[in-house]
Amino acid sequence: MLRGLGEEVPVIRGSVLLSSDGMLKAAHGFDRATAEQFAALASGLFSIARSAGTKFDGSNEVRQVVTELKSSQLFISWAGYNSVLAVLAKGEADPAVVGFEMARLIKSVRPFLGTAARTAPTASNPNPSP
């Protein structure tokens, strides 16, 4: 799926699919360590956008976060329940094309992209009675 996105839009340097709390689910174009770092960064930016929406828009729904760097562009989109798609593109990328292709991909596979919420581990008694 992510490889296909990169083939469809050659200016994409790499992409990751992550849970909204930053756990890497899939990656293309990055080594494992870079993909995990990118997922954590995307999760943080997405979380900040949700907070801004809650405070200033009355909703925590985020459609897309776009960041323009010196020679790259970063796109982060909601991809389904608890899932986020993040893409790093070259600076010369057309944001409309990247955004459109991301949305098209997400729409076509959204039912399969949801991530179940994590449950808290159950506390065990470290000193059980005999």
Side-chain angles (χ1 to χ4, degrees):
M1 168 183 90
L2 298 179
R3 183 175 354 125
L5 179 62
E7 290 169 357
E8 186 72 28
V9 187
V11 293
I12 291 177
R13 297 173 46 199
S15 55
V16 297
L17 179 65
L18 58 136
S19 63
S20 58
D21 62 356
M23 295 296 296
L24 180 64
K25 294 173 64 174
H28 177 60
F30 297 120
D31 60 59
R32 180 70 182 194
T34 302
E36 288 179 354
Q37 186 177 20
F38 188 59
L41 178 124
S43 174
L45 289 173
F46 192 77
S47 178
I48 290 169
R50 288 179 73 175
S51 294
T54 299
K55 177 70 177 174
F56 301 110
D57 195 45
S59 170
N60 69 354
E61 293 180 23
V62 176
R63 293 182 184 156
Q64 188 175 54
V65 177
V66 180
T67 304
E68 186 175 345
L69 306 171
K70 181 179 177 183
S71 60
S72 301
Q73 296 179 59
L74 172 61
F75 300 85
I76 305 166
S77 294
W78 177 80
Y81 180 77
N82 246 0
S83 293
V84 175
L85 174 63
V87 169
L88 182 66
K90 295 177 182 176
E92 66 268 14
D94 181 342
V97 171
V98 175
F100 174 79
E101 291 300 333
M102 288 175 68
R104 190 168 72 122
L105 170 67
I106 291 167
K107 185 176 180 182
S108 69
V109 296
R110 181 172 288 143
F112 307 103
L113 293 181
T115 301
R118 287 195 233 176
T119 57
T122 58
S124 62
N125 186 353
N127 298 316
S129 300

